[in-house]
Amino acid sequence: MSTIKNILFSYREYDSHEELDADDQELIIVAKEAAKLAYAPYSRFMVGAAIRLESGRIVHGSNVENAAFPSGICAERTAIAGAVSNYPDDKPVALAIAAITDEGLTAEFVSPCGNCRQVIAEEEVRTGKQIRIILSGKNKVQVLDSISPLLPLQFSGESLRSNRP
């Protein structure tokens, strides 16, 4: 017998980053500045990410493209790798993402790709804490309490153990 189930999630949407608290506004500013540091000669789509750690420290990253396209890395994964490598015990509490093109900040917010969603989910598992996700665009900002709404039915270490014969 089949059963239909629904996955629902909620998020907060703002018309402007100015509606957010000062810490979140600062994180968005750092993400925008990080986007300007991206190496994106092929797509001209520059993404920046900024992570606030429990200590208040901010770690940023930008996307780095490569002519061998699978060899590039996204801003979110760059920032997470930097945070884990340099501050492994300082847990992330928030992650802001912003993207710019030749015309400037994108009108709509940009959501993390599937690979980045999985890496963010793993970081939540590693630290045992949710990471607030702040997606910033010129026309609106979306805030989610965790990566879970963007990656329902996540693959995890438990998936590896439960599927062994």
Side-chain angles (χ1 to χ4, degrees):
M1 175 159 100
S2 79
T3 304
I4 296 175
K5 296 183 178 187
N6 295 306
I7 298 174
L8 304 172
F9 70 94
S10 60
Y11 57 90
R12 289 175 300 288
E13 191 167 277
Y14 302 90
D15 293 329
S16 167
H17 70 275
E18 294 168 355
E19 296 177 54
L20 302 173
D21 68 27
D23 283 348
D24 287 350
Q25 287 184 42
E26 178 186 28
L27 211 55
I28 289 170
I29 290 167
V30 174
K32 289 176 187 177
E33 290 301 313
K36 294 176 186 175
L37 301 173
Y39 176 70
Y42 307 105
S43 70
R44 305 293 307 148
F45 192 73
M46 297 162 283
V47 181
I51 298 174
R52 182 177 304 281
L53 304 175
E54 283 182 329
S55 67
R57 179 180 283 119
I58 296 176
V59 178
H60 63 82
S62 56
N63 60 316
V64 178
E65 293 181 347
N66 190 291
F69 286 107
S71 298
I73 187 168
C74 299
E76 300 91 327
R77 287 184 283 148
T78 301
I80 289 170
V84 171
S85 297
N86 294 294
Y87 313 104
D89 299 323
D90 199 355
K91 298 175 182 177
V93 295
L95 167 67
I97 303 165
I100 56 177
T101 65
D102 292 333
E103 290 80 38
L105 183 67
T106 57
E108 299 299 319
F109 57 81
V110 175
S111 186
C113 74
N115 284 337
C116 289
R117 292 174 190 206
Q118 184 64 42
V119 169
I120 296 165
E122 185 75 17
E123 185 61 4
E124 287 186 346
V125 169
R126 183 185 80 84
T127 63
K129 297 198 63 128
Q130 292 183 330
I131 301 170
R132 201 169 72 264
I133 310 296
I134 305 164
L135 308 174
S136 179
K138 195 182 315 178
N139 295 338
K140 65 177 84 164
V141 177
Q142 189 178 80
V143 179
L144 300 101
D145 293 327
S146 168
I147 196 63
S148 295
L150 296 179
L151 190 63
L153 307 175
Q154 297 172 12
F155 185 85
S156 69
E158 186 58 37
S159 302
L160 294 171
R161 289 184 284 284
S162 66
N163 289 316
R164 290 189 180 170

